[in-house]
Amino acid sequence: MSFAIAGALLLLASCENDLSKLPGNSPLKDLDNDRASEVVFVYSEEGRVKARLYTKEFVGNENAKPPYVDFLKGVKMDMYDTTLQIESTITARTARYYTQDENVIARDSVVVRNRKGEKLQTEELIWNKKLERFYTDKFVRITKDDQISYGSGLEATQDLSYVKIKNQRGTIPVENSEFPSTE
C-alpha cells in the first residue's frame, strides 16, 4: 500500500504547469483573441445593410484597450446606398476595425472604386462608419475618367461624390463656363 502512495506522490511531483509547453506554443495573452477564417461581416443600421466585409483571416480582441478586430490576409468591403446598390468597394492587404469608435483603418495597397469607375489609391485610409467618410494624411491618387490628381491627404464621402485633396497637384478639370467672360 505504501508503494502505491509513494508512486502517486512521485507522479504528482513530476507534473508541471508550464503553459509555454501547450500545443501551439501560444503566448497566454493570445488566448484573449477570437480567430476565424473566411469570414463575412454585415454591418447594418436600423435594419438597413450599410456595408459587407470579406476577409480570409479575422482576429478580434474585445479585452484590448481599445477593442479591435484585425483583418490580416486581405480585406474587401462593399458599401451600400439606401437602395442596397453598391456605391463603392474598398480593398486592402490589411485593416483594423475599432469597435468602440467604429473606424476602420485600411493599410497597404488600399484601393477604393465607386460605381462610376472612379478610383482612389493610397497606403492608408480611415473609414468613419458613422459619418460614412474617408480620411487620410498619406499620399493619394485619384483617377476620374482620363484625369489623374495627386495629393498628400484627403477627405471624401464613401461614394467619392465629394473629394477634398490636400496639397493637390495633377490635372484639375475646369469647364469653359467657369471661366470669366471676355466680353
Side-chain angles (χ1 to χ4, degrees):
M1 180 85 131
S2 64
F3 180 71
I5 294 174
L9 288 174
L10 185 59
L11 275 174
L12 287 175
S14 67
C15 290
E16 59 182 278
N17 292 325
D18 187 358
L19 293 177
S20 68
K21 293 185 180 178
L22 287 174
N25 248 351
S26 298
L28 187 57
K29 73 178 195 173
D30 194 44
L31 296 176
D32 283 341
N33 291 338
D34 298 320
R35 293 182 177 276
S37 57
E38 303 297 330
V39 178
V40 177
F41 283 97
V42 177
Y43 297 108
S44 64
E45 203 170 90
E46 298 175 2
R48 184 177 75 84
V49 175
K50 297 188 103 184
R52 188 178 311 247
L53 186 140
Y54 310 87
T55 186
K56 291 183 180 187
E57 184 178 353
F58 153 94
V59 178
N61 189 331
E62 285 299 316
N63 295 323
K65 303 283 187 236
Y68 65 87
V69 176
D70 279 338
F71 309 103
L72 302 173
K73 294 185 179 177
V75 63
K76 175 185 175 193
M77 187 166 59
D78 294 326
M79 288 161 271
Y80 296 90
D81 65 13
T82 56
T83 65
L84 291 180
Q85 298 297 309
I86 295 175
E87 64 184 6
S88 57
T89 299
I90 181 172
T91 58
R93 290 202 177 141
T94 66
R96 176 171 275 191
Y97 173 59
Y98 290 99
T99 57
Q100 287 180 337
D101 63 10
E102 299 185 317
N103 284 331
V104 175
I105 301 176
R107 291 188 173 105
D108 196 1
S109 304
V110 182
V111 177
V112 179
R113 292 180 192 269
N114 68 7
R115 70 177 103 193
K116 295 178 189 175
E118 300 167 335
K119 182 168 67 170
L120 160 65
Q121 296 169 281
T122 187
E123 285 303 307
E124 181 178 274
L125 191 65
I126 298 168
W127 177 59
N128 183 290
K129 180 180 162 193
K130 291 176 188 173
L131 300 176
E132 298 181 349
R133 288 188 173 263
F134 294 122
Y135 301 92
T136 188
D137 288 327
K138 305 291 184 190
F139 175 80
V140 295
R141 175 184 167 150
I142 303 277
T143 306
K144 292 185 177 191
D145 298 320
D146 60 346
Q147 300 167 349
I148 300 173
S149 298
Y150 303 92
S152 52
L154 165 132
E155 178 183 335
T157 55
Q158 71 184 22
D159 64 356
L160 302 180
S161 61
Y162 167 81
V163 176
K164 178 181 176 184
I165 300 174
K166 300 174 187 174
N167 302 314
Q168 184 172 358
R169 58 190 188 281
T171 58
I172 302 171
V174 178
E175 297 291 327
N176 284 340
S177 62
E178 295 177 15
F179 285 108
S181 151
T182 57
E183 296 175 15

